[in-house]
Amino acid sequence: MDKVIIAQDLSLAYSNNETIINKASFSINSGDFVFITGASGSGKSTLLKSLYGALKPKQGSLVVGGVELKAISRSKLNFLRRHMGIVFQDYKLVKEWTIEKNIMLPLLINGYLKNVAQDQVEKLLKHVRLNHQIGKYPLELSGGEQQRVAMARALAHNPILIMADEPTGNLDEYSSQLIWNLLEGANNQLKTTVIVVTHNIPKNLNVDYKHFHIEYGNIHEIS
Amino acid sequence: MKSVRNHLSLVVALLSILFSMQLFFIVERSIDAYKVKLSQNYSVIAVSKEELSSDAFSKINKIISQAQEIAPDSVIKKLSSDMKSTNIELLKLTLPKFYKLSLKHYPSPDEIKKLKSDLLAHNAITKVEDFAHTHDTIYKLLLLFKNVVTLFSSVVLVVTLLLIFKELRIWQYKHNERMSIMGLFGAALWLRSAVLFRLAIVDALIASFVSFGVFAYLSSYPWVLEQFRNIGIEVVVFNPVDDSLMILGVSVMISIILASLIVLGHKEEA
């Protein structure tokens, strides 16, 4: 099976030089469903940031989609990110755009025709049960609804890799279940690789998954 | 409403720059037109022992456009009451030549001084009357008017630029977030900045068209034209081709610089 992510002796640190992840080695195969857990401040989100190129490795090697991220150029990083779907803890929706335009963003970046993109957005809005909210702006929606918009945006362009940072952190049970169903669906039906940072792994999940746990800067795989 | 508010702040700032710039041009044109008028009415009187042509005067100082000899008849008339006709003829021959010198443009006080010294340096010229006092007063008044308008325009420019820089910070904050989000999904720089440049150019066009409208209206407004006519000059308040291009150029340039500063100042969200 193809490896989507390969980390070798990976160390991560912010500008204050305090090491967050220390010489970690792991790999993730194409089509894997991966959970990353750990205590608050353990470096889960930091690791995710490094996977989508927002934080460069301090030491070691990190290869995502066959591209070494340590010395990646801006244009290559853009190209790589066009094949990713990212769900952020704080949603990161463009407030001055309607929810349709937010969902359409990765489609337009990937060069989809506007009418094709519009059809796709309509389908996704139905999937995330927000078709009754068309024309609204993110701040007019609840937190759970905003996260569902962010989820629809991450799925819009059928990415090969979805990364989600605590996607159900503050959500009600209905929205949480909907998001897990969407992630499961993407993994089962489209064989999309899914990486989720979370505190709690849901119990009723219908996928085989890998589980990485971060503790004191070290990453352990839990079987 | 939200969209109008997005545009209003930059449009108003651009309008104040364009208005002060065009007002400065109008004042400059008025002063130039008034200088031409003054130069037509202003002349220097030179007294010469011998006859000198216009060319000879032009060689002494290039500012002299024409020399016109003043007929001595009026002087002679005053003296002739008790004189015989032969003596009058003799007097005519011995009287110096009076010349009225017209100038190419309205001179500065320094140019007047140089003209006078150049003329007096000539062997034949014995006396020069430059009406310096009257000239200096008018010239200084024009200069004062021009300086006041320049100062006013500069203050408006500085205040507006400060407002624009304040606006720039707000734009930077507002657009940084959107640009960062677009960057996280792999948008190229041109795509991330496209909204910003489109907004800046639309604002520049709005400000330019409002300026065109206002100045085109003012250029045919009777009250404005009457003010210029009152001081005997005609001024082009708004040249539809040259001024439009200048206004449009300045407005687009400021907007693009503003947008470029925001793009250059954009920091990628980690």
Side-chain angles (χ1 to χ4, degrees), chain A residues 32-36 167-168 176-188 194-196 198 200-211:
Chain A
D32 278 354
F33 199 112
V34 178
F35 282 106
I36 301 171
T168 58
S176 298
Q177 193 53 53
L178 203 64
I179 281 172
W180 291 125
N181 289 345
L182 289 165
L183 289 171
E184 260 179 35
N187 183 252
N188 283 332
V194 178
I195 302 170
V196 182
T198 185
N200 304 303
I201 299 173
K203 291 184 175 69
N204 54 348
L205 212 61
N206 295 318
V207 286
D208 294 328
Y209 60 84
K210 271 185 176 177
H211 179 192

Side-chain angles (χ1 to χ4, degrees), chain B residues 18-19 51 53-54 105 112-114 141 145 168 172-173 179 194 196 200 217 221 233 236 243 262 264-265:
Chain B
L18 297 178
F19 273 45
E51 202 170 319
S53 65
S54 279
H105 62 258
I112 288 277
K113 266 185 206 165
K114 188 172 184 310
L141 204 66
F145 184 49
L168 178 90
Q172 228 157 14
Y173 171 75
M179 286 170 78
L196 191 60
Y217 176 70
Y221 192 63
I233 55 169
V236 179
D243 290 354
I262 294 170
L264 291 173

Side-chain angles (χ1 to χ4, degrees), chain A residues 9-219:
Chain A
D9 296 326
L10 174 69
S11 292
L12 299 173
Y14 286 109
S15 48
N16 61 8
N17 251 354
E18 190 195 339
T19 304
I20 312 282
I21 300 290
N22 190 24
K23 293 189 176 174
S25 296
F26 62 92
S27 66
I28 293 170
N29 294 326
S30 172
D32 278 354
F33 199 112
V34 178
F35 282 106
I36 301 171
T37 59
S40 296
S42 58
K44 305 185 293 291
S45 299
T46 304
L47 177 65
L48 207 66
K49 271 183 189 173
S50 74
L51 297 181
Y52 59 78
L55 181 68
K56 289 200 171 169
K58 185 187 167 198
Q59 276 178 348
S61 150
L62 178 60
V63 177
V64 177
V67 185
E68 170 60 72
L69 294 189
K70 200 171 181 181
I72 193 170
S73 66
R74 184 70 228 192
S75 58
K76 270 190 183 168
L77 183 62
N78 283 341
F79 182 77
L80 188 66
R81 282 178 176 177
R82 279 175 217 153
H83 296 92
M84 294 176 177
I86 314 169
V87 182
F88 303 92
Q89 204 176 354
D90 57 351
Y91 325 130
K92 291 207 190 302
L93 298 172
V94 182
K95 292 180 195 79
E96 60 269 24
W97 289 354
T98 59
I99 55 170
E100 302 94 277
K101 197 170 175 188
N102 269 287
I103 297 170
M104 208 182 277
L105 174 67
L107 296 169
L108 297 180
I109 291 170
N110 280 283
Y112 282 64
L113 292 174
K114 208 162 183 181
N115 55 339
V116 178
Q118 270 164 348
D119 288 346
Q120 176 77 337
V121 169
E122 277 175 34
K123 274 185 214 162
L124 283 160
L125 278 169
K126 274 183 198 159
H127 263 302
V128 295
R129 317 267 162 85
L130 284 174
N131 42 338
H132 61 289
Q133 300 284 32
I134 285 177
K136 288 203 172 165
Y137 290 88
L139 295 181
E140 294 173 320
L141 305 182
S142 69
E145 288 173 324
Q146 287 186 54
Q147 191 63 303
R148 274 143 65 189
V149 173
M151 195 69 214
R153 181 181 60 183
L155 295 168
H157 52 303
N158 298 326
I160 53 165
L161 175 62
I162 292 180
M163 287 182 256
D165 190 1
E166 301 197 23
T168 58
N170 304 309
L171 305 189
D172 57 87
E173 206 175 315
Y174 173 77
S175 293
S176 298
Q177 193 53 53
L178 203 64
I179 281 172
W180 291 125
N181 289 345
L182 289 165
L183 289 171
E184 260 179 35
N187 183 252
N188 283 332
Q189 290 156 30
L190 304 168
K191 302 293 166 216
T192 308
T193 309
V194 178
I195 302 170
V196 182
V197 164
T198 185
H199 280 291
N200 304 303
I201 299 173
K203 291 184 175 69
N204 54 348
L205 212 61
N206 295 318
V207 286
D208 294 328
Y209 60 84
K210 271 185 176 177
H211 179 192
F212 291 115
H213 185 74
I214 305 178
E215 201 171 30
Y216 305 116
N218 300 310
I219 301 176

Side-chain angles (χ1 to χ4, degrees), chain B residues 14-67:
Chain B
L14 283 173
L15 274 176
S16 69
I17 289 181
L18 297 178
F19 273 45
S20 58
M21 184 185 82
Q22 188 64 19
L23 281 177
F24 177 76
F25 288 146
I26 293 169
V27 169
E28 189 136 275
R29 282 174 200 160
S30 311
I31 290 171
D32 287 344
Y34 198 66
K35 272 186 179 176
V36 170
K37 186 179 179 265
L38 284 175
S39 73
Q40 284 162 358
N41 295 334
Y42 178 76
S43 54
V44 171
I45 303 294
V47 183
S48 169
K49 287 186 281 187
E50 57 191 61
E51 202 170 319
L52 291 169
S53 65
S54 279
D55 284 347
F57 274 109
S58 293
K59 275 176 195 162
I60 295 169
N61 192 308
K62 281 179 182 162
I63 198 171
I64 299 167
S65 64
Q66 200 192 359

Side-chain angles (χ1 to χ4, degrees), chain B residues 51-244:
Chain B
E51 202 170 319
L52 291 169
S53 65
S54 279
D55 284 347
F57 274 109
S58 293
K59 275 176 195 162
I60 295 169
N61 192 308
K62 281 179 182 162
I63 198 171
I64 299 167
S65 64
Q66 200 192 359
Q68 194 185 352
E69 192 181 342
I70 301 168
D73 298 351
S74 58
V75 181
I76 289 165
K77 208 175 173 183
K78 282 181 188 171
L79 304 170
S80 63
S81 54
D82 299 325
M83 290 175 89
K84 289 176 185 173
S85 61
T86 49
N87 288 344
I88 290 169
E89 286 309 311
L90 193 66
L91 183 65
K92 267 187 181 176
L93 288 171
T94 53
L95 261 179
K97 308 282 180 195
F98 292 87
Y99 289 97
K100 182 183 166 191
L101 307 178
S102 302
L103 307 181
K104 283 176 185 165
H105 62 258
Y106 195 65
S108 67
D110 287 343
E111 281 176 315
I112 288 277
K113 266 185 206 165
K114 188 172 184 310
L115 175 65
K116 191 173 180 179
S117 69
D118 286 350
L119 286 168
L120 288 173
H122 193 276
N123 291 335
I125 296 169
T126 54
K127 193 165 171 50
V128 174
E129 179 50 68
D130 55 12
F131 309 103
H133 180 71
T134 320
H135 167 273
D136 278 8
T137 311
I138 297 171
Y139 194 85
K140 279 172 186 167
L141 204 66
L142 279 179
L143 220 59
L144 176 73
F145 184 49
K146 193 178 174 179
N147 287 342
V148 166
V149 173
T150 309
L151 187 72
F152 172 74
S153 303
S154 309
V155 169
V156 171
L157 187 74
V158 170
V159 171
T160 314
L161 283 176
L162 288 174
L163 279 175
I164 285 185
F165 276 107
K166 200 181 164 204
E167 187 61 23
L168 178 90
R169 281 206 205 115
I170 298 168
W171 273 36
Q172 228 157 14
Y173 171 75
K174 219 160 74 178
H175 292 278
N176 252 344
E177 191 187 22
R178 181 183 39 75
M179 286 170 78
S180 293
I181 293 170
M182 291 178 84
L184 289 169
F185 285 87
L189 185 66
W190 68 266
L191 191 61
R192 277 181 270 163
S193 330
V195 177
L196 191 60
F197 279 99
R198 200 167 50 219
L199 194 68
I201 288 171
V202 166
D203 286 2
L205 291 177
I206 294 171
S208 301
F209 286 120
V210 171
S211 302
F212 296 164
V214 169
F215 285 106
Y217 176 70
L218 284 179
S219 67
S220 58
Y221 192 63
W223 183 83
V224 175
L225 300 176
E226 196 188 321
Q227 301 312 304
F228 292 119
R229 245 180 268 126
N230 284 346
I231 52 170
I233 55 169
E234 273 187 36
V235 173
V236 179
V237 174
F238 181 68
N239 183 325
V241 180
D242 292 353
D243 290 354
S244 298

